[in-house]
């Protein structure tokens, strides 16, 4: 499911940005690139939050700590 989420949020924005750029629609290409950047930031923030929460929950339950490196 994570792969589907990443594909659904990145591929359409990247594809539209490249097509708009080739067609000379620079404003739309820039807007689509901005949307792609927002989507990528959201993916990174969500991944970091999951890792932080899993580390915190693992330490609370007395499980072995996740690697720090």
């Amino acid at each position: 499911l994570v792969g589907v989420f990443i594909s659904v949020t990145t591929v359409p924005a990247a594809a539209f940005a490249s097509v708009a750029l080739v067609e000379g629609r620079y404003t739309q290409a820039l807007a689509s690139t901005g949307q792609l950047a927002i989507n990528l930031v959201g993916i990174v923030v969500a991944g970091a939050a999951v890792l932080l929460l899993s580390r915190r929950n693992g330490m609370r339950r007395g499980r072995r700590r996740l690697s720090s490196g």
Side-chain angles (χ1 to χ4, degrees), residues 46-64:
V50 166
L51 290 174
L52 272 170
L53 290 173
S54 69
R55 176 176 285 188
R56 185 175 299 169
N57 286 338
M59 291 172 73
R60 239 187 258 157
R61 294 182 185 175
R63 293 184 188 165
R64 193 178 84 191

Side-chain angles (χ1 to χ4, degrees), residues 21-65:
L21 192 61
V22 167
E23 291 182 352
R25 298 187 288 171
Y26 302 113
T27 304
Q28 290 177 332
L30 184 61
S32 187
T33 302
Q35 183 64 54
L36 177 61
I38 290 169
N39 292 347
L40 289 173
V41 167
I43 290 169
V44 170
V45 168
V50 166
L51 290 174
L52 272 170
L53 290 173
S54 69
R55 176 176 285 188
R56 185 175 299 169
N57 286 338
M59 291 172 73
R60 239 187 258 157
R61 294 182 185 175
R63 293 184 188 165
R64 193 178 84 191
R65 198 170 159 221

Side-chain angles (χ1 to χ4, degrees), residues 1-16 35-36 39-40 43:
L1 242 78
V2 173
V4 172
F5 171 70
I6 291 170
S7 296
V8 166
T9 58
T10 58
V11 172
F16 186 80
Q35 183 64 54
L36 177 61
N39 292 347
L40 289 173
I43 290 169

